[in-house]
Amino acid sequence: MSIACVLVGHLPLKIELLRRPALQGKAALVVEQSGTQKLVVDRSSSAHDTVVGMSLEKALVRCPHAALIEAATSLYREKWSSILDGLEQRSPIVEDADLGLAYVDLRGLEKLYGGEAKLVKAVVDAVPQIYCPQVGVAERKFPAYAAALQAEPGRAARVSEDAASFLAPLPVTNLPTSWKIKERLLDFGLNVMGSIAQLPFNTMQGEFGKEGARLWRLANGQDDELLVPRQHEETFACEVTFATPTVS
């Protein structure tokens, strides 16, 4: 065991529902201005015909009665930073991968916590349960992320040593790539990761280039990407000395 992926899905919406409990169970869209148009940055499950990244104009065609919430980006980041602070109390190495997505280095901490199960529970408990965190544990980052997607809210899921077998039945839409690439994979009948893993490496590389090679490796559980420790802003105190003017 070496890496835990901590996933807090729909964090902006969860924060907004805590502020606006009357919207619980209703169709809602969190939107923000991007250039000349507004985009959907999060949505409720009731607004299932919309997707994150869609323009507000298109989203309202699909879900015309959705409540609109102006994104409070600084608030989301503040809440997420507080969660990251809690995770850093469990492990000195935490990667802030994205809003609602973090990786925690677990190496060498099992004895400190009295075993693997207690260590993983400490990671789960580091996140307020109102956010329903999902935690995945594996030897590499992508399998850990895939496990987090499968975990029940407030629980952890662990990947077996055979990561490729764990990943095989999972949909290719879980791969970290553009929607355009995912659509092409689906058009080729590659619906699950196992179908990619069974292809010859050269076939995926030839059809999708470098991205195809990367996805083939991920589908086979091969992820050598290292954790990038969270960066903290440092403040420096500057001593300013004022010269005493002399009078001649």
Side-chain angles (χ1 to χ4, degrees), residues 141-202:
K141 289 174 69 173
F142 178 66
Y145 170 71
L149 289 174
Q150 305 304 308
E152 295 181 8
R155 303 292 294 274
R158 200 194 192 295
V159 177
S160 63
E161 292 184 4
D162 187 358
S165 295
F166 177 87
L167 295 169
L170 303 184
V172 296
T173 50
N174 287 346
L175 286 166
T177 190
S178 69
W179 181 249
K180 183 178 180 180
I181 294 291
K182 292 175 184 178
E183 285 186 317
R184 287 185 62 199
L185 291 171
L186 294 172
D187 288 342
F188 278 106
L190 302 173
N191 300 312
V192 295
M193 296 189 205
S195 58
I196 294 176
Q198 291 174 0
L199 290 175
F201 173 82
N202 291 338

Side-chain angles (χ1 to χ4, degrees), residues 184-185 188 190 195-217 220:
R184 287 185 62 199
L185 291 171
F188 278 106
L190 302 173
S195 58
I196 294 176
Q198 291 174 0
L199 290 175
F201 173 82
N202 291 338
T203 300
M204 277 294 292
Q205 186 177 44
E207 187 63 42
F208 295 92
K210 290 182 178 180
E211 185 66 357
R214 185 178 78 93
L215 297 180
W216 185 90
R217 293 189 181 96
N220 278 280

Side-chain angles (χ1 to χ4, degrees), residues 88-101:
E88 285 184 332
Q89 293 178 13
R90 273 58 175 181
S91 170
I93 301 179
V94 174
E95 177 180 341
D96 178 9
D98 200 357
L99 187 67
L101 177 63

Side-chain angles (χ1 to χ4, degrees), residues 7-107:
L7 179 64
V8 182
H10 297 287
L11 180 59
L13 182 71
K14 288 174 180 175
I15 293 173
E16 293 297 348
L17 291 180
L18 290 172
R19 301 169 71 196
R20 301 172 171 84
L23 292 178
Q24 288 282 356
K26 298 181 180 180
L29 300 173
V30 182
V31 300
E32 71 176 354
Q33 193 72 34
S34 178
T36 60
Q37 63 179 346
K38 286 191 174 182
L39 301 179
V40 175
V41 297
D42 207 351
R43 63 172 184 80
S44 67
S45 57
S46 299
H48 53 80
D49 288 334
T50 64
V51 296
V52 172
M54 177 181 285
S55 70
L56 176 59
E57 182 180 6
K58 290 183 179 179
L60 288 177
V61 171
R62 297 188 178 189
C63 193
H65 304 298
L68 302 183
I69 304 171
E70 198 70 33
T73 306
S74 59
L75 175 62
Y76 309 153
R77 178 49 61 181
E78 177 186 339
K79 297 292 186 182
W80 179 235
S81 293
S82 178
I83 292 173
L84 293 172
D85 291 342
L87 292 173
E88 285 184 332
Q89 293 178 13
R90 273 58 175 181
S91 170
I93 301 179
V94 174
E95 177 180 341
D96 178 9
D98 200 357
L99 187 67
L101 177 63
Y103 292 95
V104 181
D105 190 350
L106 304 179
R107 290 174 297 178

